[in-house]
Amino acid sequence: MTEKLPEKLAAARIKLIYHHPYLATAVFALHPVSRQGLGTLAVDAWWRLYYDEAAIQRWSVDEIAGVLYHEVLHLLRDHAGRARQMGAHPRLWNHAADAEINDDILAEKTLPLPDNPITPASLGQENGKLAEEYYAALAQQAQQQAGQGQQDDSEAAASSSSAANSSASQSQSGEQDGAGQSGGEADQQPAADAAGAQGESPQDSSAQTAAGQNEESAAAGTAGAGQPAAEEQDAGRGGDDGSQAGDAGESTSSASSAQPSSPSQPATNSVQQGGVGGSNGSPASRDAAASEPSTPDAASAPAHSSSSATPSQGDGGKPDVARGRCGSCATGVKEDWELDPDDKSVPAVKKAEADLIRRKVAQEIREHSKRRGTVPAHLKRWAEEVLRPKVNWRRELASAIRHALADASGMADYSYRRPSRRQSANPKVIMPALRQPLPRVAVVVDTSGSISDRMLAQAVAEVLGVVKAMGGRNGVKVISCDAGVHTVKDVLNRRHLKHALHGGGGTDMRVGIKEALKQKPRPHVVIVLTDGYTPWPSKPLRGVKVIVALLGDGVSPRWAKTIRVEENSA
Amino acid sequence: MSNNKALPVAVAAQLTVHRFTYLTPRPYAPPVLAWGEPGVGKTAVITAIGDALNVPVEVVIASIREPSDFGGLPVVGEGGVRLHAPAWAQRLAAAQQGILFLDEISTAPPAVQAALLRVVLDRVVGELELPAGVAVVAAANPPEIAAGGWELSPPLANRFVHLQWKVDAADWCEGMVKGFSTPSIPQINETAFPAAYERARALVAAFIRRRPTLLCAVPKTEEAQGRAWPSPRSWHAAATLMAAAEAAGADGEVVSALVAGCVGEAAALEFLQFRRELDLPDPQQVMGNPDLLKGLTGDRMHAALTAVVAHATAELTPEKWAAAWRVLAHAAKIAGKDVAAWCACILARAHKPDLPVPSEVEEFCPLLEAAGLLGGGGK
């Protein structure tokens, strides 16, 4: 399969490896598949690299190498798996994932990316966050817009939400409307139907920021609803005439040109076109783009001719690499033009093998950075995460509490101390009864000021959740303590927490622990939340389990179960 | 999904390998523990597997049972207290084979879990011994989901093969519309098993020889202790299940799920990587016969060629120099030119003045020039 690889693509692979030798395993694990008419280059979740020779001729070797780098990072960072785990909306997620990757690539300044790639800035976000964070922001924007639209026009809202979930339905609605209309109205109507939900969206601040930052990516902001802001405005006033639509198109043109999903790209252009007076581009291009991967040219043609603002990449074709359509390598959802994962003609890299490749690359990064130390920081971080996965402190803390409570005398367990209520049914069989004392937990919180309140609240909330799940209906006792004990409060839910934490000043957890043991009834478990810069009791405590959650670099006594809690860790 | 494919293999292995009493060490197919959220259809699939294999299935929900349901009901009789086995155990004993499905064991109170230990490990219920042909499958909800759930104790956890139960939204939607397909049940080829088992044992032993610390590594956290981790017993189980999967013709996904289910993800990854590297042709042989490279995928071709180049440059002689170039030229023909070209770059860097410039270099020049690397890395 590989022998017919176009020379430019082969050269780009070498170029990429020249810059990042440790990626060789991943780059050569890609199985190239030629796809005439695809219009670009894309990768599926099974490491198959689809390319269109025509598209490759358009880009320079360096640009192709940059695009390959981008796609390999999708695979290495397992964006497909992460999307599936979140149940993320594919289009929106793809934008978020692209932003996560592109800021790193662009910061390196070694390989360029063609055609205005998506960056965090273009989504109105800061650099250096995770795709999950970008996604949350994008989803929120989309929701706000959808919410506004609902007030406007509930019917349209319904269509929009369904459109958001599948571009197919969107294209359908476009078709129908297009068919039903004629002339100047035709091009606005499909947009109107689909986009109605967002009615006033140009006024929406989030949409505007996004648009202001970069026209290409503003689309992402609206992608969740699957609709461009501009279209919606038409929609809100569905029956209005062309000139108004034109205005809308102009005022929000930046946002609309950023359409994330293929059906909308041509449609966007047509909205603008509507303003200028053209009419028939939209339904046709929408149609073509939405349904036939093999004819992106057909779709792009009207878009090109109609809009002066067409971005350089202009093809309304399906994939759009590094700009929100990278193939299923980013989303985990199979695209129409991709091969079936079980298709035998081109080997697929399944999850087990992908894990091995990832590990191998991570090891090579580690070795490389030991020898020469010229690995970009983001790759180094990634490699360390692969080779030494972080422990989830929430789980660890929860499990420590559960164990401590289970060990506390006689947790929900069978006992022959009292006869079972079923005993009378059959006097010959001896049955135990179920006894469950309520777990009593005291939390000593270090409020000396070195730990943020947010972090403390989070940790206490975590404790509370576990205790509740174990049947502790009385909540936990929270003891605020710095150099002395400030307050002792029963905390039943998160809201109580606000008033339970007091302090600032020196640190001595010994008084806090002492206070905890004085409580009546005595707690089964004492959990100490501290940064560790405190004196500790010199001897193990009798008759109570102690768990220390360390929120800093300090030390904890050997006799206490210790869990390191890291800020910002998920 | 892959894990859902691994489950039938693990069940079939339990039903089959106990027959190979003549093999030493005896194959050990561990009981299965399926981790998954409530409501993902574990019971349905187990029942389907039982139907397909034509063996009876007994579903016992551990969390609503009492210790005596597993340890035997103490009944006062003539000669003292006897531990009476419940009906489900007696049915299985009568059938001589079948699947015992213990649901929700992680939400069962510790006393019930303790009683279960004997059922799962020794297949003894009360005073009744279950026949060897009974496969034991347990299901558990992750403790963070189950109200009042516990992690399994380390010794109990180490005796299971842990399989994650995942639901794939796309698969589910398809099943919802078109009807759920019954899981395909693998047939373990009983004539192929002994040889596969021997290979698997040798492989595991070779790996442990290289990484002795992984023979027994009890995790530090309680949460990890309640999952799969490497121990001599779990490596033995891994070898058995690997052989069973091979004899059943299962794919790499299934093998990796089974091995990870026995010894834990970290150890399994290292082991599978080791296995993958062992599969590569020996560089010295490749230099004699470049045809050995045939059929390798891109990344493995790259690994093999890197090994050849490393082998040649470690102790560079004119013969090795020429042979390495021949290998690269051959690789360029049968696989991607770029793979070979990159290795050619590395090989060329080792060039010494007294070595001739090989004719094969010509082949890579245009490509390296297109990549803009000629003059830098190339010859």
Side-chain angles (χ1 to χ4, degrees):
Chain A
M1 306 132 268
T2 32
E3 46 266 71
K4 282 176 228 125
L5 199 62
E7 184 168 280
K8 235 172 152 181
L9 187 53
R13 295 222 282 190
I14 296 179
K15 185 88 191 200
L16 172 56
I17 292 168
Y18 172 74
H19 285 295
H20 303 285
Y22 33 80
L23 294 182
T25 307
V27 173
F28 289 132
L30 295 170
H31 295 290
V33 183
S34 173
R35 270 287 147 94
Q36 295 277 315
L38 188 66
T40 178
L41 188 145
V43 176
D44 71 10
W46 301 274
W47 297 64
R48 289 184 282 216
L49 168 68
Y50 303 88
Y51 63 90
D52 181 2
E53 258 176 86
I56 285 182
Q57 296 316 323
R58 233 178 36 215
W59 289 330
S60 72
V61 167
D62 277 12
E63 281 173 336
I64 303 171
V67 168
L68 275 174
Y69 188 24
H70 174 98
E71 299 287 37
V72 164
L73 286 182
H74 271 310
L75 291 167
L76 289 181
R77 295 181 181 183
D78 193 20
H79 280 151
R82 281 156 65 186
R84 259 184 240 136
Q85 208 170 24
M86 286 185 70
H89 179 268
R91 292 283 81 75
L92 207 51
W93 171 262
N94 202 154
H95 277 75
D98 282 354
E100 183 196 276
I101 289 177
N102 289 351
D103 61 340
D104 288 331
I105 296 186
L106 295 175
E108 272 175 42
K109 295 201 169 74
T110 44
L111 292 169
L113 288 169
D115 308 336
N116 271 330
I118 289 169
T119 61
S122 71
L123 304 185
Q125 299 288 322
E126 288 167 38
N127 277 358
K129 289 193 189 167
L130 292 175
E132 279 82 356
E133 293 171 270
Y134 294 133
Y135 179 79
L138 292 181
Q140 206 183 356
Q141 286 173 15
Q143 216 165 34
Q144 280 172 0
Q145 287 163 8
Q148 282 192 352
Q150 226 146 26
Q151 296 164 354
D152 246 35
D153 178 350
S154 61
E155 195 188 327
S159 88
S160 143
S161 67
S162 71
N165 291 334
S166 84
S167 52
S169 75
Q170 196 181 354
S171 78
Q172 263 177 8
S173 72
E175 267 173 68
Q176 289 165 359
D177 279 307
Q181 307 286 337
S182 69
E185 270 175 83
D187 53 1
Q188 301 143 18
Q189 207 53 35
D193 183 323
Q198 289 144 6
E200 299 297 314
S201 74
Q203 264 91 11
D204 184 320
S205 65
S206 62
Q208 272 180 343
T209 10
Q213 304 267 4
N214 174 325
E215 45 168 33
E216 284 320 309
S217 57
T222 54
Q227 303 308 331
E231 285 181 349
E232 285 154 21
Q233 184 147 71
D234 310 353
R237 305 166 171 69
D240 283 357
D241 62 13
S243 72
Q244 229 184 0
D247 288 343
E250 254 165 41
S251 66
T252 52
S253 67
S254 57
S256 67
S257 68
Q259 278 326 301
S261 58
S262 64
S264 44
Q265 178 99 33
T268 297
N269 291 331
S270 74
V271 170
Q272 289 174 342
Q273 178 192 4
V276 184
S279 66
N280 51 9
S282 137
S285 59
R286 208 173 242 273
D287 213 318
S291 54
E292 265 139 302
S294 54
T295 58
D297 285 341
S300 63
H304 268 305
S305 62
S306 64
S307 166
S308 57
T310 308
S312 54
Q313 143 282 359
D315 309 57
K318 301 285 297 192
D320 190 0
V321 79
R323 303 182 14 153
R325 296 221 80 173
C326 300
S328 60
C329 69
T331 62
V333 177
K334 188 180 161 299
E335 305 264 5
D336 301 341
W337 40 268
E338 289 175 1
L339 290 171
D340 192 78
D342 294 323
D343 193 308
K344 290 280 183 285
S345 63
V346 181
V349 175
K350 298 262 176 91
K351 186 184 169 298
E353 211 186 340
D355 281 346
L356 291 181
I357 295 174
R358 259 179 224 126
R359 212 181 126 80
K360 175 103 180 147
V361 172
Q363 280 171 340
E364 269 163 18
I365 287 175
R366 190 189 256 181
E367 255 165 56
H368 190 88
S369 65
K370 262 185 208 150
R371 265 180 289 141
R372 273 160 283 180
T374 49
V375 183
H378 68 95
L379 281 171
K380 241 190 248 178
R381 232 177 305 126
W382 172 83
E384 285 311 309
E385 271 162 35
V386 169
L387 297 175
R388 209 180 300 132
K390 260 195 196 161
V391 242
N392 182 338
W393 65 265
R394 286 191 180 85
R395 272 201 198 175
E396 233 188 314
L397 182 62
S399 131
I401 298 171
R402 271 196 297 264
H403 271 257
L405 286 178
D407 286 354
S409 57
M411 265 304 299
D413 211 344
Y414 288 95
S415 153
Y416 286 91
R417 255 193 280 173
R418 278 206 207 171
S420 164
R421 276 180 294 179
R422 280 156 75 187
Q423 184 73 63
S424 56
N426 187 348
K428 276 192 171 178
V429 182
I430 306 159
M431 300 222 243
L434 197 58
R435 297 264 71 93
Q436 179 180 34
L438 295 176
R440 292 187 298 272
V441 175
V443 185
V444 178
V445 181
D446 176 353
T447 46
S448 60
S450 45
I451 314 168
S452 74
D453 278 0
R454 204 181 123 258
M455 201 63 206
L456 282 177
Q458 229 177 54
V460 178
E462 213 61 45
V463 172
L464 202 60
V466 178
V467 172
K468 261 194 177 164
M470 298 204 58
R473 270 159 289 174
N474 301 331
V476 297
K477 275 228 170 358
V478 172
I479 296 159
S480 299
C481 167
D482 41 34
V485 173
H486 280 266
T487 51
V488 180
K489 289 224 160 118
D490 280 318
V491 172
L492 281 167
N493 59 36
R494 276 158 201 256
R495 263 173 299 140
H496 294 181
L497 267 180
K498 252 184 276 167
H499 314 290
L501 304 177
H502 298 278
T507 315
D508 188 351
M509 288 293 107
R510 286 177 304 188
V511 282
I513 293 171
K514 216 169 159 193
E515 179 68 30
L517 295 183
K518 268 195 271 171
Q519 301 297 312
K520 298 237 159 80
R522 202 175 139 103
H524 296 119
V525 178
V526 174
I527 298 163
V528 186
L529 306 178
T530 174
D531 58 1
Y533 294 104
T534 164
W536 292 100
S538 54
K539 275 186 285 179
L541 305 178
R542 297 235 322 242
V544 66
K545 299 247 171 182
V546 179
I547 298 171
V548 177
L550 270 189
L551 296 98
D553 307 324
V555 291
S556 67
R558 274 228 305 251
W559 41 264
K561 167 94 194 164
T562 304
I563 285 146
R564 289 202 172 267
V565 176
E566 277 163 52
E567 198 144 6
N568 295 331
S569 73
Chain B
M1 296 173 282
S2 58
N3 287 290
N4 302 0
K5 269 192 254 163
L7 183 90
V9 176
V11 173
Q14 281 189 77
L15 292 171
T16 314
V17 302
H18 67 90
R19 288 182 214 144
F20 296 94
T21 45
Y22 56 90
L23 293 174
T24 45
R26 285 268 284 277
Y28 165 59
V32 179
L33 179 52
W35 290 95
E37 279 82 45
V40 293
K42 294 187 283 266
T43 314
V45 169
I46 298 288
T47 317
I49 293 174
D51 287 349
L53 291 172
N54 201 19
V55 292
V57 177
E58 289 291 340
V59 179
V60 181
I61 297 177
S63 58
I64 57 166
R65 298 282 178 151
E66 295 175 356
S68 48
D69 287 333
F70 301 102
L73 279 167
V75 177
V76 183
E78 296 284 305
V81 176
R82 292 212 53 197
L83 296 176
H84 207 71
W88 56 263
Q90 286 174 2
R91 283 196 295 268
L92 280 175
Q96 282 301 305
Q97 59 170 356
I99 300 174
L100 171 59
F101 181 49
L102 303 165
D103 207 355
E104 296 186 22
I105 67 161
S106 62
T107 36
V112 174
Q113 282 191 25
L116 269 174
L117 199 63
R118 192 138 162 78
V119 178
V120 169
L121 307 175
D122 302 337
R123 299 155 177 278
V124 172
V125 185
E127 288 167 15
L128 177 80
E129 197 165 336
L130 295 177
V134 172
V136 179
V137 181
N141 307 132
E144 57 264 32
I145 286 173
W150 281 270
E151 275 89 16
L152 300 185
S153 62
L156 181 57
N158 192 242
R159 285 169 162 91
F160 281 107
V161 49
H162 299 250
L163 299 177
Q164 286 304 328
W165 197 284
K166 293 216 184 83
V167 229
D168 187 89
D171 285 359
W172 185 84
C173 294
E174 204 177 305
M176 201 63 190
V177 176
K178 297 180 190 161
F180 293 96
S181 58
T182 47
S184 59
I185 304 301
Q187 284 297 320
I188 294 182
N189 183 340
E190 291 190 30
T191 49
F193 180 79
Y197 182 51
E198 199 178 326
R199 270 199 302 280
R201 265 160 36 211
L203 197 62
V204 168
F207 174 70
I208 294 297
R209 209 167 286 138
R210 197 203 248 189
R211 294 276 284 121
T213 48
L214 280 185
L215 177 57
C216 192
V218 187
K220 287 196 190 73
T221 66
E222 273 139 358
E223 205 229 337
Q225 281 173 358
R227 298 292 176 111
W229 46 273
S231 76
R233 173 180 32 225
S234 55
W235 279 114
H236 185 185
T240 306
L241 289 181
M242 243 169 74
E246 195 185 322
D251 63 7
E253 293 283 289
V254 171
V255 171
S256 110
L258 289 173
V259 174
C262 290
V263 299
E265 200 123 306
L269 264 178
E270 246 185 86
F271 171 69
L272 293 171
Q273 201 177 357
F274 170 81
R275 188 176 81 137
R276 207 171 131 93
E277 273 157 26
L278 270 195
D279 269 358
L280 287 176
D282 178 55
Q284 209 166 347
Q285 286 177 6
V286 171
M287 285 166 88
N289 177 13
D291 263 337
L292 288 174
L293 295 174
K294 222 167 201 150
L296 292 183
T297 54
D299 55 320
R300 295 169 58 67
M301 176 69 80
H302 169 251
L305 291 182
T306 315
V308 167
V309 170
H311 179 77
T313 52
E315 205 184 314
L316 205 54
T317 62
E319 295 80 46
K320 280 189 183 171
W321 173 257
W325 280 106
R326 266 203 308 281
V327 171
L328 291 183
H330 188 75
K333 269 188 216 104
I334 60 174
K337 217 176 207 184
D338 48 353
V339 185
W342 174 246
C343 293
C345 274
I346 302 172
L347 183 57
R349 269 183 220 149
H351 180 244
K352 286 184 192 146
D354 53 329
L355 293 170
V357 175
S359 56
E360 289 91 346
V361 161
E362 294 297 322
E363 187 157 351
F364 301 114
C365 277
L367 189 53
L368 293 175
E369 194 165 7
L373 300 183
L374 220 54
K379 175 76 206 90

